[in-house]
Amino acid sequence: MAGSPETFPELLRYRLVTRRTTDALPCAVTLNKRQALSLFGNDISPVILEVEFQTRDRLRFRLYDPNRQRFEVPLKTDSPGVTADEASYDVEFADNSSHFRIKRKSTGTVLCDSPLVDLFFSKQYLQITTTVPSTSVYGFGEHEHPSFKHSMDFVTYGMFSRDQAPAPFANLYGVHPFYMCVEADSNAHGVLLLNSNAQDVSLSPNPSLTFHTIGGILDFYVFLGPTPENVIQQYTEAIGRPHMPAYWSLGFHLSRWGYGSIDVLKKTVNRMHYCDIPYVSMDFSVCMLILQSKVQ
């Protein structure tokens, strides 16, 4: 089970070997693989775990290969930096260096607890697990979800854009590796995995989350809220605010799905034209059919 110290043998684990702490960069540690033995091959060792206190309510931590450049999403965040005393969170390692934890100062709630036993950092396979403080987990678009609140009963969501019709637990048009967790005391926090490779996330009843991806680095942003509205404000502050489209670009939308024949599509186009409803087509083939119908 993800998050359990008995999941993988001792020889597969990473261990902390050095730690660096300053006011500007509160935590940077080096992790070494205990042995070259691997389940996936081409393990990377050492791995750097670097933590940045970006704002009072925003924390970034990333795991990367210090000896080889791997692709990182080119997101530039405005991060003036704060000291550990100014931040609303604490970062700590367990006494035996087996766990990396992020805690909310005001309540002591452990928001993220990542056991190094479940860390994999290979050339084409990366995995990290974290416990979450409650089962009230939301997010991970773009999928057709049965409910806003996710089931934690060993559910896995793939995140890799596919142009296909909506279906339960299937990839859709976008990828949003972001979740929000509402804690037992109604505080909320959010976490973003900034990675553009094919990936998935598994939810288990510990409760815990396990992220898997096939490339890049593990680059996480944690938003402390404490309200859901604050979490989204902090999230969009980091990745960019949504833009309001021009008024003239708004209109009715016809999906390209559900047309059993060209005749059905032609009738739909003619019906829109007859009712004087403006419309835009979704792809080139629909454009051609619309033009043909007007010519006829």
Side-chain angles (χ1 to χ4, degrees):
M1 182 181 296
S4 170
E6 291 75 36
T7 306
F8 301 110
E10 178 77 17
L11 291 177
L12 294 181
R13 305 182 185 187
Y14 280 88
R15 62 186 178 89
L16 185 150
V17 291
T18 62
R19 184 183 304 187
R20 172 165 53 92
T21 302
T22 67
D23 286 340
L25 185 63
C27 186
V29 303
T30 302
L31 307 173
N32 275 353
K33 195 74 180 299
R34 292 181 183 271
Q35 184 170 305
L37 178 68
S38 170
L39 295 178
F40 303 99
N42 298 307
D43 285 279
I44 294 170
S45 184
V47 171
I48 301 296
L49 168 56
E50 188 175 271
V51 183
E52 299 176 24
F53 288 15
Q54 292 199 330
T55 71
R56 181 182 181 278
D57 297 309
R58 186 175 81 220
L59 167 74
R60 180 189 186 190
F61 70 94
R62 50 199 290 266
L63 292 107
Y64 62 92
D65 179 358
N67 297 316
R68 183 176 179 180
Q69 184 70 31
R70 295 169 64 91
F71 179 77
E72 300 182 35
V73 178
L75 174 67
K76 302 298 182 182
T77 57
D78 181 16
S79 53
V82 296
T83 65
D85 290 338
E86 295 171 324
S88 62
Y89 43 83
D90 280 323
V91 173
E92 64 182 31
F93 283 87
D95 292 339
N96 60 358
S97 299
S98 63
H99 284 251
F100 167 65
R101 297 190 179 104
I102 300 171
K103 299 173 66 175
R104 188 185 296 278
K105 279 185 179 179
S106 60
T107 62
T109 302
V110 177
L111 308 182
C112 301
D113 185 350
S114 295
L116 299 182
V117 62
D118 283 343
L119 174 64
F120 281 86
F121 207 113
S122 302
K123 183 178 180 180
Q124 290 185 294
Y125 183 86
L126 288 74
Q127 172 182 304
I128 190 170
T129 294
T130 180
T131 61
V132 288
S134 84
T135 58
S136 297
V137 175
Y138 306 82
F140 298 123
E142 180 172 330
H143 294 90
E144 182 182 300
H145 295 151
S147 64
F148 287 120
K149 179 182 176 181
H150 290 308
S151 167
M152 303 296 287
D153 189 18
F154 300 104
V155 174
T156 296
Y157 289 113
M159 286 180 280
F160 190 68
S161 295
R162 291 186 62 188
D163 186 16
Q164 66 178 11
F169 303 104
N171 301 332
L172 291 178
Y173 306 118
V175 174
H176 303 276
F178 168 83
Y179 73 88
M180 182 189 298
C181 179
V182 179
E183 302 149 36
D185 57 8
S186 297
N187 285 325
H189 70 277
V191 177
L192 165 69
L193 170 57
L194 190 64
N195 185 297
S196 62
N197 289 267
Q199 59 189 274
D200 65 34
V201 60
S202 298
L203 291 69
S204 70
N206 285 5
S208 67
L209 308 174
T210 300
F211 295 88
H212 316 88
T213 184
I214 62 171
I217 69 170
L218 296 171
D219 192 358
F220 288 90
Y221 288 78
V222 183
F223 309 96
L224 271 286
T227 68
E229 292 84 359
N230 294 151
V231 171
I232 299 304
Q233 289 166 359
Q234 294 155 12
Y235 173 52
T236 58
E237 179 184 41
I239 68 169
R241 309 289 191 193
H243 293 275
M244 180 64 71
Y247 180 78
W248 56 262
S249 69
L250 300 176
F252 295 94
H253 172 83
L254 280 178
S255 174
R256 68 185 181 91
W257 298 105
Y259 303 101
S261 67
I262 292 180
D263 288 337
V264 172
L265 180 59
K266 286 182 177 180
K267 289 179 181 178
T268 303
V269 171
N270 290 333
R271 189 165 59 248
M272 295 285 286
H273 182 70
Y274 176 80
C275 295
D276 199 23
I277 298 176
Y279 52 84
V280 292
S281 60
M282 287 298 294
D283 57 26
F284 180 75
S285 60
V286 177
C287 288
M288 293 303 296
L289 288 170
I290 292 173
L291 290 174
Q292 289 174 8
S293 68
K294 288 185 176 180
V295 170
Q296 294 172 359

